[in-house]
Amino acid sequence: GNSRKEALEEIVGFLYPVIVYESPHRIEKFFKEISALAPNADIFAIKEISKLHQKYFLCKASDALQELKKANKKG
């Protein structure tokens, strides 16, 4: 709700990297919200960190949703 939006607006304004954990069920919503707030923000997303099938991508927030659609969201 509103508190989530306020928190994301605050995060976007930080001058340093921020780590956010999001569940697979809400990841699309998260990327939509971030790309609407800061489309030129750099995003580094990683899945299955420290595991054999680890996947990651680096892109602008506006492209993150497209990268996510190419990937398997489970895990």
Side-chain angles (χ1 to χ4, degrees):
N2 287 337
S3 61
R4 178 183 167 95
K5 184 177 179 182
E6 290 171 4
L8 289 176
E9 288 173 347
E10 184 178 358
I11 289 171
V12 169
F14 290 162
L15 299 176
Y16 47 84
V18 177
I19 298 171
V20 177
Y21 170 81
E22 191 58 87
S23 75
H25 307 293
R26 295 186 309 216
I27 194 72
E28 280 190 46
K29 179 180 179 184
F30 175 76
F31 282 138
K32 285 178 185 177
E33 292 169 330
I34 290 294
S35 65
L37 291 172
N40 291 320
D42 291 320
I43 299 286
F44 178 76
I46 192 164
K47 173 187 162 184
E48 302 289 344
I49 192 168
S50 77
K51 295 185 180 174
L52 180 63
H53 301 290
Q54 174 176 302
K55 302 285 183 198
Y56 64 89
F57 60 88
L58 175 64
C59 62
K60 296 292 183 189
S62 60
D63 299 326
L65 198 53
Q66 300 303 339
E67 291 293 327
L68 179 67
K69 289 180 179 180
K70 294 179 194 174
N72 179 355
K73 289 178 274 203
K74 292 183 181 181

